[in-house]
Amino acid sequence: MVNKNSRREKWRLARWRPWVQASFLLVWLDPLMLRWHGVCAPVFHCYSCPLATFACPIGILANSCALHIIPLLAIGVLLVVGSLFGSLICGWVCPFGFLQDLIGKIPTPKLRLPGWMGWTRYAVLVGLVLVIPYYFGDGNWYFFCRLCPAGALEASVPYSVQQSMAEKTIVWPTITKSAILIVFLLATLFTWRPWCTLFCPLGAIFSLCNYVSLVFLRFQPSNCNDCELCRDLCKHRDPSQRRGSDLRCIRCLECVQCNALSIGTVFQKQENLVEISSGPLDES
Amino acid sequence: MKNPLSGLRFLSMRPARWSIFGFRFVPLLLFGVGTCTILYGGFFHRLPVTETIEEEFTVAEPVEPEMPMGMPPGMGPGMPFGLPGMAPGMPPGGMPGMPPEDSQPPVRFVTKIKTVETTANELEWNLNVLMTFGGIALNEKGELVRLAVSTEGPAFCPT
């Protein structure tokens, strides 16, 4: 009975996720017209968007690398948020993730990508966000913001519409940027959160913070009866691997419907509990 | 397929378990470091930028009058000697009878372009420089230079 009740409560928690994401979307879309672009948000939302409240941390990192300065403010925000929540931000707060979740609800066959593809995000982070801007500046074609589909969707397209409405000369997004946006939107139909899974540099930073974040996914071996429910519930798992949480975990907390898993903090007592950050559930 | 992260399991498990007398300090340590970084970066980390303002402004510069050879110092060109009320140094066309200190020295108007170097803490810098139209760039010397202000296009949106 106790297990049933706790399971119901956990299910309620996961059911709240779209509503939490929608609420945060209101914060990022600046209904109060605050325009605090001097401060970066911990989410992936282009600050060139006409409706952006805060700046994009990845945009700040890339531009700062191009200018050879250290963006302490952005690094501090990422450290604070990462140390508290890790990739819980990706699953519950990020507007770009929410968009992918919404598109993913369209009933099309979904392909599950192999686990090693989660490493490509680190290549994007190091290559396109840090190294290429540092050595080649922001004028080259591989500068991150020139390729970013979030920038194309949230800034370039609205800006082109804005120009056409004002009867000005329309500056269209480049072919590369438009093609990336179209491929991304199509991929969203056929796999869960392709951007977050494969390319998001912000997700890469937060998944590193999963190792040390205040909020943890906990595994209680005594409650596990190898039903594999946690693995079935996880949309980001690799079906060939036995794991409840991996590098691509966005902490959507769908898996905590399983009694062996729960969300907790590092302050809780650790008796018979195993913490899961980004590692496998078992050694097999 | 071998789990590529299995070798990193120790990384995923240990840091959050580090504790002093049962108190897990790693998340709070990171939180503290992040907070200090925000405070230092936001309010004390000052960043310079050189800005060339393409604004023409006119300055009046005094002009040394051309002295005809042989004329005594203080005498304007073309001034006839011996006029009543004419003081030494008064420009040609000056009104007779006016005292010398009220007379206007000859000036020429020069057009200049402003170059300003400013520093600001990162919060203001982001807001006023990094996020504004046109943005900034590195020049050949590696200095941060603010580009000419553009009203076309959102900041850092290389379409």
Side-chain angles (χ1 to χ4, degrees):
Chain A
M1 190 65 189
V2 174
N3 282 347
K4 269 189 179 179
N5 281 341
S6 69
R7 196 162 171 169
R8 203 175 297 136
E9 280 169 19
K10 287 173 175 179
W11 171 231
R12 277 185 195 147
L13 182 70
R15 227 173 32 170
W16 275 101
R17 195 164 73 93
W19 298 105
V20 173
Q21 287 173 304
S23 307
F24 272 104
L25 187 66
L26 284 178
V27 175
W28 312 131
L29 291 183
D30 200 6
L32 301 176
M33 306 292 280
L34 297 171
R35 297 288 188 275
W36 286 344
H37 288 191
V39 183
C40 83
V43 292
F44 202 68
H45 186 199
C46 184
Y47 50 51
S48 293
C49 172
L51 293 175
T53 312
F54 302 102
C56 169
I58 298 301
I60 287 192
L61 282 181
N63 280 294
S64 300
C65 279
L67 296 171
H68 298 184
I69 56 173
I70 300 170
L72 294 177
L73 202 55
I75 291 171
V77 168
L78 293 179
L79 267 179
V80 165
V81 176
S83 67
L84 290 178
F85 304 109
S87 61
L88 194 76
I89 299 295
C90 305
W92 290 71
V93 177
C94 180
F96 205 55
F98 184 40
L99 173 77
Q100 292 171 81
D101 282 344
L102 290 179
I103 297 174
K105 287 188 187 299
I106 297 171
T108 49
K110 298 287 190 291
L111 176 72
R112 281 181 171 168
L113 302 169
W116 58 265
M117 293 185 83
W119 292 100
T120 52
R121 296 185 301 174
Y122 295 96
V124 171
L125 174 66
V126 174
L128 297 181
V129 178
L130 302 178
V131 174
I132 289 179
Y134 185 85
Y135 286 106
F136 302 105
D138 61 355
N140 71 85
W141 288 106
Y142 301 105
F143 183 68
F144 183 79
C145 295
R146 287 185 185 275
L147 307 172
C148 176
L153 190 68
E154 294 162 2
S156 302
V157 172
Y159 182 60
S160 301
V161 172
Q162 199 179 25
Q163 281 174 319
S164 68
M165 287 172 71
E167 296 181 351
K168 289 181 181 175
T169 310
I170 301 172
V171 181
W172 297 103
T174 59
I175 294 172
T176 314
K177 203 170 186 177
S178 308
I180 288 172
L181 176 62
I182 291 166
V183 168
F184 155 73
L185 290 174
L186 286 175
T188 311
L189 287 171
F190 299 105
T191 185
W192 297 106
R193 287 197 174 212
W195 177 258
C196 308
T197 308
L198 298 175
F199 300 115
C200 183
L202 188 60
I205 294 169
F206 283 145
S207 66
L208 281 179
C209 292
N210 276 353
Y211 294 137
V212 290
S213 67
L214 192 84
V215 176
F216 258 85
L217 268 179
R218 294 183 183 284
F219 173 60
Q220 197 157 11
S222 57
N223 286 352
C224 180
N225 53 9
D226 285 330
C227 65
E228 301 214 352
L229 177 64
C230 55
R231 297 172 182 99
D232 291 338
L233 289 169
C234 183
K235 292 171 181 168
H236 302 277
R237 73 189 174 98
D238 182 345
S240 67
Q241 291 171 11
R242 285 170 56 88
R243 62 169 75 177
S245 172
D246 71 2
L247 192 68
R248 298 171 304 170
C249 176
I250 58 162
R251 290 185 172 172
C252 62
L253 306 186
E254 293 284 346
C255 60
V256 300
Q257 293 174 54
C258 174
N259 279 328
L261 286 157
S262 62
I263 186 85
T265 67
V266 292
F267 299 118
Q268 290 171 331
K269 288 286 180 186
Q270 300 305 302
E271 290 164 13
N272 298 323
L273 291 178
V274 176
E275 287 159 354
I276 302 163
S277 54
S278 290
L281 267 182
D282 48 26
E283 298 289 347
S284 61
Chain B
M1 185 188 290
K2 189 178 183 300
N3 179 4
L5 285 176
S6 58
L8 298 176
R9 185 181 167 95
F10 73 96
L11 271 181
S12 69
M13 304 295 286
R14 285 212 178 142
R17 286 189 159 186
W18 293 341
S19 60
I20 300 173
F21 304 119
F23 183 73
R24 299 186 158 200
F25 66 93
V26 173
L28 293 177
L29 180 72
L30 275 180
F31 181 81
V33 170
T35 307
C36 292
T37 311
I38 290 174
L39 292 175
Y40 177 73
F43 301 106
F44 301 106
H45 182 217
R46 299 190 77 82
L47 296 163
V49 64
T50 306
E51 184 174 5
T52 304
I53 301 172
E54 295 288 338
E55 184 185 319
E56 291 181 352
F57 63 100
T58 310
V59 182
E61 287 185 350
V63 180
E64 286 294 322
E66 289 178 16
M67 295 291 182
M69 291 297 288
M71 186 170 282
M75 298 298 286
M79 187 196 306
F81 274 103
L83 277 176
M86 189 64 79
M90 183 173 284
M95 292 294 289
M98 287 184 69
E101 57 266 22
D102 285 347
S103 63
Q104 295 293 319
V107 293
R108 65 179 172 192
F109 295 99
V110 180
T111 304
K112 288 187 175 178
I113 295 171
K114 284 181 187 174
T115 302
V116 183
E117 180 165 337
T118 54
T119 59
N121 66 57
E122 202 179 322
L123 199 62
E124 295 169 349
W125 201 80
N126 281 349
L127 190 64
N128 298 328
V129 179
L130 194 59
M131 304 295 168
T132 49
F133 293 129
I136 52 175
L138 282 175
N139 66 7
E140 299 82 24
K141 297 174 188 171
E143 296 165 336
L144 294 167
V145 179
R146 186 169 184 172
L147 302 174
V149 176
S150 161
T151 53
E152 294 294 324
F156 294 123
C157 182
T159 52

